[in-house]
Amino acid sequence: MADCIFCKIVEGDIPAQKVYEDHEFLVFADVKPQAPVHHLVIPKEHISNIMEIKDQDLLGRLFGVIQKVAQQEGISEKGFRVVNNCGDDGGQTVGHIHFHLLGGRFMEWPPG
Ligand code: AMP
């Protein structure tokens, strides 16, 4: 999608620190990390948010990527947090669905 910054990262038009890529997904470091490990897991296809997902199996494959990256980043044993912000009240600021993978420190609950 023309004005989507994450589509531009997928296309290579905006630089990003990529940590995983396959034909369907891209994982890259968040530019404003909130934890020692803070990556964004996205489908390459432009989907705005959870409510726009048509292929529910995509989420299973995406969580398979999260498993791989958690192992790759050394946070699978101690644990991590996966966050999806959906829509305005959910705090979503980029309109291309993404899952935050946060780890490397203890995560407080509830979030702010
Ligand atoms: P959200 O508030 O859930 O929509 O999260 C959007 C996230 O994207 C924020 O954590 C931003 O720091 C991150 N972000 C925005 N632009 C970029 C970028 N060009 N590269 C990496 N992360 C970005």
Side-chain angles (χ1 to χ4, degrees):
M1 180 169 277
D3 283 334
C4 172
I5 54 172
F6 288 177
C7 284
K8 287 181 179 160
I9 287 174
V10 169
E11 295 302 321
D13 295 337
I14 292 180
Q17 188 190 326
K18 296 180 183 179
V19 298
Y20 175 89
E21 183 167 15
D22 64 25
H23 70 285
E24 191 175 26
F25 300 103
L26 178 64
V27 184
F28 54 95
D30 194 294
V31 78
K32 274 179 67 179
Q34 304 299 316
V37 176
H38 186 175
H39 297 324
L40 301 173
V41 183
I42 68 167
K44 290 182 171 178
E45 177 190 358
H46 184 89
I47 300 169
S48 304
N49 61 43
I50 281 181
M51 299 312 296
E52 298 302 320
I53 293 174
K54 306 277 190 286
D55 170 17
Q56 311 301 333
D57 293 343
L58 177 132
L59 288 171
R61 297 192 295 277
L62 184 142
F63 271 84
V65 169
I66 287 173
Q67 288 178 322
K68 277 186 204 164
V69 174
Q71 278 181 332
Q72 180 183 304
E73 298 299 301
I75 57 173
S76 60
E77 295 287 324
K78 289 197 78 176
F80 52 86
R81 180 168 291 169
V82 177
V83 174
N84 172 262
N85 298 326
C86 181
D88 291 342
D89 276 3
Q92 183 175 5
T93 60
V94 177
H96 182 131
I97 191 170
H98 51 281
F99 290 77
H100 298 254
L101 173 61
L102 298 140
R105 67 167 171 83
F106 181 77
M107 300 290 156
E108 302 288 342
W109 189 264

